[in-house]
Amino acid sequence: MNVAPLIRSGDALIVLLGAGMVGGLGWHYWQGGLADKVVIRAGGKVFREVALSRDQDIAVPGPLGMSLIRVEKRRVRILADPSPRQYCVRQGWLQQVGEMALCLPNQVSIELTGQNKPYDSLNY
Amino acid sequence: MTASTTDFILHPSAEDHQVARMAAVALGLTVLESAIPSPIPGVKPGLANIVTLIVLARYGWRMATWVSLLRVVAGSLLFGSLLTPGFFLSLAGALCSLVLLAAASRLPARWFGPVSHSVLAAFAHIAGQMALVFVWLIPHAGILYLLPLFAAAALLFGTVNGLIAAHYLAQQP
C-alpha cells in the first residue's frame, strides 16, 4: 500500500511535531545530566557525601558487614556487599543524577545528586 | 399478556443502529488486540481507534463519541474490568482523545486528515492516562521516566492507525 497519498501536508507537520516532542521528552527525562556528588546512606542516615571528582574506595558499615563503594572516573558503583541477592552490586556503574543503588538488608544506599536534583526519591 | 404502565419501548433510529454496528466492530478489534502479546505492559496499538477515526470522518464527532465510549464500557464488561483501575484508565484516555478530536476535527480538512486526528488523539490518550496514574495510582515523579516511551508508542501507533483509517476511507468513500 502506497501511503504517500494518505498523508496530507498538515499530517506530515503534526507527525514531525510529535516526533520532536517525543525527542524532547526523552532528552528531558532520560538525560538528567551527569552527577557531581554521591550521597551515601547507612541505616537511613547520611553516612557521607562525596564529590565524584576524586577516585576513591569507601567502606560503609552495615548490620551484615562492610559495603564497599568505588568512585572512579566520575562514576560510582557498589563494588562489594554482604547482602545475599547482590542486586546493588549487579546494578553496576551509576553516573546520572537521580540514579541510586540500595543494598538490602545491609541498609546501605548510594544516590547521585547534581546541581539540579530532578526529584527526591528517598523522602517522598 | 397486557403491557404494564411501566413498559416503555425503545425506538432505535437508523443512527442508533449505525452507532451499535460501529461499536461492535470496535469491540471486535479490542478483543482481537487483547490476544496480541505486548512486550511492554501498557503499550497497546489501540486498533479500535481506527473505527473511531472512520466514524469521525464519516458521521462527525457526536457519533464518534458514542462509539468510543460504548466501546470502553462494553469492552470492560467483556473483560470483566468494569470500575477497575484499568477501566478508568481506558475512560480517561478515551475522554481526553475525544476532547482533542473535537478541536482537531475542526482543522481544515484540506491539510489535516485522519493521520493528524489519530496522532493527536493518541497523544491526548497517553496524556490523560498518565495524568490519572499520577494523581490517583502512583503520585511519584518516577513514572515520568516512562513518558518518552509511551509518547513514542503513541506517535508510532497513532500514525499507523491514522494511515489505516485514511486508507479505508480512500478505498470506500
Short mmCIF file of all heavy atoms in Angstrom, two decimals, chain B residues 4-57:
data_model
loop_
_atom_site.label_atom_id
_atom_site.label_comp_id
_atom_site.label_asym_id
_atom_site.label_seq_id
_atom_site.Cartn_x
_atom_site.Cartn_y
_atom_site.Cartn_z
N SER B 4 -47.75 -3.53 31.03
CA SER B 4 -47.95 -2.72 32.23
C SER B 4 -47.61 -1.27 31.91
O SER B 4 -46.98 -0.96 30.90
CB SER B 4 -47.08 -3.24 33.36
OG SER B 4 -45.75 -2.86 33.14
N THR B 5 -47.98 -0.40 32.81
CA THR B 5 -47.74 1.03 32.55
C THR B 5 -46.27 1.39 32.63
O THR B 5 -45.85 2.45 32.18
CB THR B 5 -48.51 1.88 33.57
OG1 THR B 5 -48.18 1.40 34.87
CG2 THR B 5 -50.00 1.81 33.35
N THR B 6 -45.46 0.48 33.26
CA THR B 6 -44.04 0.81 33.37
C THR B 6 -43.27 0.40 32.12
O THR B 6 -42.10 0.74 31.98
CB THR B 6 -43.41 0.10 34.58
OG1 THR B 6 -43.69 -1.28 34.47
CG2 THR B 6 -43.95 0.65 35.87
N ASP B 7 -43.90 -0.35 31.22
CA ASP B 7 -43.19 -0.73 30.00
C ASP B 7 -42.92 0.50 29.14
O ASP B 7 -43.72 1.41 29.06
CB ASP B 7 -44.05 -1.70 29.17
CG ASP B 7 -43.89 -3.12 29.68
OD1 ASP B 7 -43.07 -3.30 30.58
OD2 ASP B 7 -44.60 -4.00 29.17
N PHE B 8 -41.78 0.49 28.55
CA PHE B 8 -41.57 1.52 27.52
C PHE B 8 -40.80 0.86 26.39
O PHE B 8 -40.05 -0.10 26.59
CB PHE B 8 -40.83 2.74 28.07
CG PHE B 8 -39.44 2.46 28.53
CD1 PHE B 8 -38.36 2.69 27.69
CD2 PHE B 8 -39.20 1.97 29.81
CE1 PHE B 8 -37.08 2.43 28.12
CE2 PHE B 8 -37.92 1.70 30.24
CZ PHE B 8 -36.85 1.94 29.39
N ILE B 9 -41.05 1.35 25.25
CA ILE B 9 -40.46 0.73 24.06
C ILE B 9 -39.45 1.69 23.45
O ILE B 9 -39.73 2.88 23.26
CB ILE B 9 -41.56 0.38 23.04
CG1 ILE B 9 -42.51 -0.65 23.66
CG2 ILE B 9 -40.95 -0.17 21.76
CD1 ILE B 9 -43.88 -0.64 23.04
N LEU B 10 -38.25 1.15 23.23
CA LEU B 10 -37.23 1.96 22.57
C LEU B 10 -37.47 1.94 21.07
O LEU B 10 -37.78 0.89 20.51
CB LEU B 10 -35.84 1.39 22.87
CG LEU B 10 -35.28 1.66 24.25
CD1 LEU B 10 -34.00 0.86 24.44
CD2 LEU B 10 -35.01 3.14 24.44
N HIS B 11 -37.36 3.08 20.46
CA HIS B 11 -37.45 3.11 19.00
C HIS B 11 -36.10 3.54 18.47
O HIS B 11 -35.84 4.74 18.29
CB HIS B 11 -38.53 4.10 18.56
CG HIS B 11 -39.90 3.67 19.00
ND1 HIS B 11 -40.55 2.62 18.40
CD2 HIS B 11 -40.71 4.13 19.97
CE1 HIS B 11 -41.73 2.46 18.99
NE2 HIS B 11 -41.84 3.35 19.97
N PRO B 12 -35.20 2.57 18.26
CA PRO B 12 -33.88 2.96 17.79
C PRO B 12 -33.94 3.52 16.37
O PRO B 12 -34.58 2.94 15.50
CB PRO B 12 -33.09 1.65 17.84
CG PRO B 12 -34.10 0.56 17.86
CD PRO B 12 -35.37 1.13 18.41
N SER B 13 -33.27 4.64 16.20
CA SER B 13 -33.24 5.25 14.87
C SER B 13 -32.18 4.55 14.03
O SER B 13 -31.40 3.72 14.52
CB SER B 13 -32.92 6.73 14.99
OG SER B 13 -31.61 6.87 15.51
N ALA B 14 -32.14 4.90 12.76
CA ALA B 14 -31.11 4.33 11.88
C ALA B 14 -29.72 4.69 12.40
O ALA B 14 -28.78 3.90 12.32
CB ALA B 14 -31.30 4.86 10.46
N GLU B 15 -29.63 5.89 12.97
CA GLU B 15 -28.34 6.33 13.50
C GLU B 15 -27.91 5.47 14.69
O GLU B 15 -26.75 5.11 14.83
CB GLU B 15 -28.45 7.80 13.92
CG GLU B 15 -27.11 8.44 14.17
CD GLU B 15 -27.26 9.81 14.83
OE1 GLU B 15 -27.37 9.88 16.07
OE2 GLU B 15 -27.27 10.79 14.08
N ASP B 16 -28.89 5.11 15.53
CA ASP B 16 -28.58 4.24 16.67
C ASP B 16 -28.03 2.90 16.20
O ASP B 16 -27.07 2.37 16.77
CB ASP B 16 -29.84 4.01 17.52
CG ASP B 16 -30.34 5.29 18.16
OD1 ASP B 16 -29.51 6.21 18.33
OD2 ASP B 16 -31.53 5.37 18.48
N HIS B 17 -28.67 2.37 15.14
CA HIS B 17 -28.18 1.10 14.60
C HIS B 17 -26.75 1.25 14.11
O HIS B 17 -25.91 0.37 14.31
CB HIS B 17 -29.08 0.64 13.45
CG HIS B 17 -30.37 0.04 13.91
ND1 HIS B 17 -30.42 -1.12 14.64
CD2 HIS B 17 -31.65 0.46 13.78
CE1 HIS B 17 -31.68 -1.41 14.92
NE2 HIS B 17 -32.46 -0.46 14.42
N GLN B 18 -26.51 2.37 13.46
CA GLN B 18 -25.17 2.63 12.92
C GLN B 18 -24.14 2.69 14.06
O GLN B 18 -23.06 2.09 13.98
CB GLN B 18 -25.20 3.94 12.14
CG GLN B 18 -23.99 4.17 11.27
CD GLN B 18 -23.88 3.13 10.16
OE1 GLN B 18 -24.88 2.56 9.75
NE2 GLN B 18 -22.68 2.86 9.72
N VAL B 19 -24.50 3.40 15.14
CA VAL B 19 -23.61 3.50 16.30
C VAL B 19 -23.32 2.10 16.85
O VAL B 19 -22.16 1.75 17.12
CB VAL B 19 -24.23 4.39 17.40
CG1 VAL B 19 -23.48 4.23 18.72
CG2 VAL B 19 -24.21 5.85 16.98
N ALA B 20 -24.38 1.31 16.99
CA ALA B 20 -24.21 -0.03 17.56
C ALA B 20 -23.32 -0.89 16.68
O ALA B 20 -22.46 -1.62 17.17
CB ALA B 20 -25.58 -0.69 17.74
N ARG B 21 -23.55 -0.78 15.36
CA ARG B 21 -22.72 -1.57 14.42
C ARG B 21 -21.25 -1.20 14.55
O ARG B 21 -20.38 -2.07 14.67
CB ARG B 21 -23.18 -1.31 12.99
CG ARG B 21 -23.91 -2.48 12.36
CD ARG B 21 -23.97 -2.35 10.86
NE ARG B 21 -24.62 -1.13 10.41
CZ ARG B 21 -25.95 -0.98 10.30
NH1 ARG B 21 -26.74 -1.98 10.59
NH2 ARG B 21 -26.46 0.16 9.89
N MET B 22 -20.98 0.10 14.55
CA MET B 22 -19.59 0.53 14.59
C MET B 22 -18.96 0.18 15.94
O MET B 22 -17.79 -0.21 16.01
CB MET B 22 -19.49 2.06 14.35
CG MET B 22 -19.97 2.48 12.99
SD MET B 22 -19.28 1.51 11.64
CE MET B 22 -17.91 2.49 11.15
N ALA B 23 -19.72 0.34 17.02
CA ALA B 23 -19.19 -0.01 18.35
C ALA B 23 -18.88 -1.50 18.41
O ALA B 23 -17.89 -1.91 19.03
CB ALA B 23 -20.19 0.38 19.44
N ALA B 24 -19.72 -2.31 17.74
CA ALA B 24 -19.47 -3.76 17.73
C ALA B 24 -18.17 -4.07 17.01
O ALA B 24 -17.38 -4.92 17.45
CB ALA B 24 -20.64 -4.48 17.07
N VAL B 25 -17.94 -3.37 15.88
CA VAL B 25 -16.67 -3.58 15.16
C VAL B 25 -15.49 -3.19 16.04
O VAL B 25 -14.48 -3.90 16.15
CB VAL B 25 -16.66 -2.77 13.84
CG1 VAL B 25 -15.31 -2.89 13.16
CG2 VAL B 25 -17.76 -3.25 12.91
N ALA B 26 -15.64 -2.04 16.73
CA ALA B 26 -14.57 -1.57 17.61
C ALA B 26 -14.31 -2.58 18.73
O ALA B 26 -13.16 -2.85 19.08
CB ALA B 26 -14.93 -0.21 18.20
N LEU B 27 -15.40 -3.15 19.25
CA LEU B 27 -15.25 -4.17 20.30
C LEU B 27 -14.50 -5.38 19.79
O LEU B 27 -13.64 -5.93 20.47
CB LEU B 27 -16.64 -4.62 20.79
CG LEU B 27 -17.24 -3.84 21.93
CD1 LEU B 27 -18.66 -4.33 22.18
CD2 LEU B 27 -16.40 -4.02 23.18
N GLY B 28 -14.85 -5.80 18.57
CA GLY B 28 -14.16 -6.94 17.97
C GLY B 28 -12.66 -6.68 17.89
O GLY B 28 -11.84 -7.54 18.24
N LEU B 29 -12.31 -5.46 17.48
CA LEU B 29 -10.88 -5.12 17.38
C LEU B 29 -10.23 -5.10 18.75
O LEU B 29 -9.08 -5.52 18.91
CB LEU B 29 -10.71 -3.76 16.70
CG LEU B 29 -10.93 -3.76 15.19
CD1 LEU B 29 -10.87 -2.35 14.63
CD2 LEU B 29 -9.90 -4.63 14.49
N THR B 30 -10.98 -4.63 19.77
CA THR B 30 -10.43 -4.60 21.13
C THR B 30 -10.10 -6.03 21.60
O THR B 30 -9.04 -6.27 22.18
CB THR B 30 -11.44 -3.98 22.11
OG1 THR B 30 -11.80 -2.69 21.60
CG2 THR B 30 -10.85 -3.81 23.48
N VAL B 31 -11.05 -6.95 21.34
CA VAL B 31 -10.84 -8.34 21.77
C VAL B 31 -9.66 -8.95 21.00
O VAL B 31 -8.79 -9.60 21.58
CB VAL B 31 -12.12 -9.17 21.55
CG1 VAL B 31 -11.87 -10.63 21.84
CG2 VAL B 31 -13.24 -8.64 22.44
N LEU B 32 -9.64 -8.67 19.69
CA LEU B 32 -8.53 -9.18 18.85
C LEU B 32 -7.19 -8.68 19.39
O LEU B 32 -6.23 -9.44 19.52
CB LEU B 32 -8.74 -8.66 17.42
CG LEU B 32 -7.75 -9.13 16.37
CD1 LEU B 32 -8.15 -10.52 15.92
CD2 LEU B 32 -7.72 -8.19 15.19
N GLU B 33 -7.18 -7.39 19.74
CA GLU B 33 -5.93 -6.78 20.19
C GLU B 33 -5.45 -7.37 21.51
O GLU B 33 -4.24 -7.50 21.74
CB GLU B 33 -6.17 -5.29 20.35
CG GLU B 33 -4.99 -4.51 20.82
CD GLU B 33 -5.38 -3.05 20.90
OE1 GLU B 33 -5.26 -2.38 19.88
OE2 GLU B 33 -5.80 -2.61 21.97
N SER B 34 -6.41 -7.76 22.36
CA SER B 34 -6.00 -8.31 23.67
C SER B 34 -5.30 -9.65 23.50
O SER B 34 -4.64 -10.12 24.42
CB SER B 34 -7.22 -8.45 24.57
OG SER B 34 -8.02 -9.51 24.13
N ALA B 35 -5.45 -10.27 22.32
CA ALA B 35 -4.77 -11.54 22.08
C ALA B 35 -3.33 -11.33 21.62
O ALA B 35 -2.54 -12.26 21.60
CB ALA B 35 -5.53 -12.35 21.04
N ILE B 36 -3.01 -10.09 21.26
CA ILE B 36 -1.64 -9.82 20.80
C ILE B 36 -0.77 -9.56 22.03
O ILE B 36 -1.06 -8.66 22.81
CB ILE B 36 -1.60 -8.58 19.88
CG1 ILE B 36 -2.55 -8.77 18.70
CG2 ILE B 36 -0.19 -8.30 19.41
CD1 ILE B 36 -2.72 -7.52 17.86
N PRO B 37 0.28 -10.34 22.21
CA PRO B 37 1.14 -10.07 23.37
C PRO B 37 1.90 -8.76 23.19
O PRO B 37 2.33 -8.44 22.09
CB PRO B 37 2.09 -11.27 23.39
CG PRO B 37 2.07 -11.82 22.01
CD PRO B 37 0.77 -11.45 21.39
N SER B 38 2.00 -7.99 24.27
CA SER B 38 2.71 -6.72 24.20
C SER B 38 4.03 -6.85 24.94
O SER B 38 4.07 -7.37 26.04
CB SER B 38 1.85 -5.63 24.83
OG SER B 38 2.64 -4.49 25.08
N PRO B 39 5.12 -6.40 24.33
CA PRO B 39 6.42 -6.51 25.01
C PRO B 39 6.49 -5.63 26.26
O PRO B 39 7.17 -5.97 27.22
CB PRO B 39 7.41 -6.05 23.96
CG PRO B 39 6.61 -5.21 23.00
CD PRO B 39 5.22 -5.77 23.02
N ILE B 40 5.76 -4.51 26.25
CA ILE B 40 5.81 -3.60 27.38
C ILE B 40 4.40 -3.44 27.93
O ILE B 40 3.49 -3.10 27.17
CB ILE B 40 6.34 -2.22 26.95
CG1 ILE B 40 7.66 -2.40 26.19
CG2 ILE B 40 6.54 -1.31 28.16
CD1 ILE B 40 7.92 -1.29 25.23
N PRO B 41 4.18 -3.68 29.22
CA PRO B 41 2.83 -3.51 29.76
C PRO B 41 2.35 -2.08 29.55
O PRO B 41 3.11 -1.14 29.75
CB PRO B 41 3.00 -3.80 31.25
CG PRO B 41 4.30 -4.49 31.38
CD PRO B 41 5.15 -4.07 30.23
N GLY B 42 1.10 -1.94 29.14
CA GLY B 42 0.55 -0.60 28.96
C GLY B 42 0.68 -0.07 27.55
O GLY B 42 0.05 0.91 27.21
N VAL B 43 1.50 -0.71 26.73
CA VAL B 43 1.64 -0.25 25.35
C VAL B 43 0.79 -1.16 24.46
O VAL B 43 1.07 -2.35 24.35
CB VAL B 43 3.11 -0.26 24.90
CG1 VAL B 43 3.21 0.07 23.42
CG2 VAL B 43 3.90 0.74 25.71
N LYS B 44 -0.25 -0.56 23.88
CA LYS B 44 -1.14 -1.32 23.00
C LYS B 44 -1.34 -0.51 21.73
O LYS B 44 -1.32 0.71 21.77
CB LYS B 44 -2.51 -1.53 23.67
CG LYS B 44 -2.48 -2.54 24.79
CD LYS B 44 -3.88 -3.00 25.14
CE LYS B 44 -4.69 -1.89 25.77
NZ LYS B 44 -6.03 -2.35 26.17
N PRO B 45 -1.58 -1.19 20.60
CA PRO B 45 -1.75 -0.42 19.36
C PRO B 45 -3.04 0.39 19.32
O PRO B 45 -3.12 1.37 18.59
CB PRO B 45 -1.72 -1.47 18.25
CG PRO B 45 -1.76 -2.79 18.90
CD PRO B 45 -1.45 -2.63 20.36
N GLY B 46 -4.06 0.00 20.07
CA GLY B 46 -5.31 0.77 20.06
C GLY B 46 -6.04 0.69 18.74
O GLY B 46 -6.48 1.70 18.18
N LEU B 47 -6.17 -0.54 18.23
CA LEU B 47 -6.77 -0.74 16.90
C LEU B 47 -8.21 -0.24 16.83
O LEU B 47 -8.67 0.21 15.78
CB LEU B 47 -6.74 -2.23 16.53
CG LEU B 47 -5.35 -2.84 16.36
CD1 LEU B 47 -5.45 -4.33 16.12
CD2 LEU B 47 -4.62 -2.17 15.22
N ALA B 48 -8.94 -0.31 17.97
CA ALA B 48 -10.33 0.11 17.97
C ALA B 48 -10.47 1.58 17.61
O ALA B 48 -11.52 2.02 17.13
CB ALA B 48 -10.96 -0.15 19.34
N ASN B 49 -9.38 2.33 17.82
CA ASN B 49 -9.47 3.76 17.49
C ASN B 49 -9.56 4.00 16.00
O ASN B 49 -9.97 5.08 15.57
CB ASN B 49 -8.26 4.48 18.08
CG ASN B 49 -8.24 4.36 19.59
OD1 ASN B 49 -9.29 4.43 20.23
ND2 ASN B 49 -7.08 4.14 20.17
N ILE B 50 -9.18 3.01 15.20
CA ILE B 50 -9.35 3.13 13.75
C ILE B 50 -10.83 3.34 13.44
O ILE B 50 -11.20 4.18 12.61
CB ILE B 50 -8.82 1.86 13.03
CG1 ILE B 50 -7.33 1.71 13.29
CG2 ILE B 50 -9.11 1.92 11.55
CD1 ILE B 50 -6.78 0.35 12.88
N VAL B 51 -11.68 2.58 14.16
CA VAL B 51 -13.12 2.71 13.96
C VAL B 51 -13.58 4.11 14.36
O VAL B 51 -14.34 4.76 13.64
CB VAL B 51 -13.88 1.63 14.77
CG1 VAL B 51 -15.38 1.79 14.58
CG2 VAL B 51 -13.44 0.25 14.35
N THR B 52 -13.08 4.59 15.51
CA THR B 52 -13.45 5.94 15.95
C THR B 52 -13.08 6.97 14.88
O THR B 52 -13.85 7.89 14.60
CB THR B 52 -12.73 6.27 17.27
OG1 THR B 52 -12.92 5.20 18.19
CG2 THR B 52 -13.27 7.54 17.89
N LEU B 53 -11.89 6.81 14.29
CA LEU B 53 -11.44 7.76 13.28
C LEU B 53 -12.33 7.74 12.05
O LEU B 53 -12.67 8.79 11.48
CB LEU B 53 -10.00 7.43 12.86
CG LEU B 53 -8.92 7.68 13.91
CD1 LEU B 53 -7.62 7.04 13.48
CD2 LEU B 53 -8.74 9.16 14.13
N ILE B 54 -12.72 6.52 11.65
CA ILE B 54 -13.57 6.40 10.46
C ILE B 54 -14.94 7.02 10.73
O ILE B 54 -15.48 7.77 9.91
CB ILE B 54 -13.69 4.92 10.04
CG1 ILE B 54 -12.33 4.43 9.53
CG2 ILE B 54 -14.76 4.74 8.97
CD1 ILE B 54 -12.23 2.93 9.36
N VAL B 55 -15.48 6.73 11.94
CA VAL B 55 -16.79 7.30 12.29
C VAL B 55 -16.69 8.83 12.36
O VAL B 55 -17.59 9.54 11.89
CB VAL B 55 -17.29 6.72 13.63
CG1 VAL B 55 -18.55 7.43 14.09
CG2 VAL B 55 -17.55 5.24 13.50
N LEU B 56 -15.60 9.32 12.90
CA LEU B 56 -15.40 10.77 12.99
C LEU B 56 -15.42 11.39 11.59
O LEU B 56 -16.09 12.41 11.36
CB LEU B 56 -14.08 11.08 13.68
CG LEU B 56 -13.73 12.56 13.83
CD1 LEU B 56 -14.58 13.19 14.91
CD2 LEU B 56 -12.26 12.75 14.16
N ALA B 57 -14.71 10.77 10.67
CA ALA B 57 -14.62 11.33 9.31
C ALA B 57 -15.96 11.23 8.59
O ALA B 57 -16.34 12.12 7.84
CB ALA B 57 -13.54 10.60 8.52
#
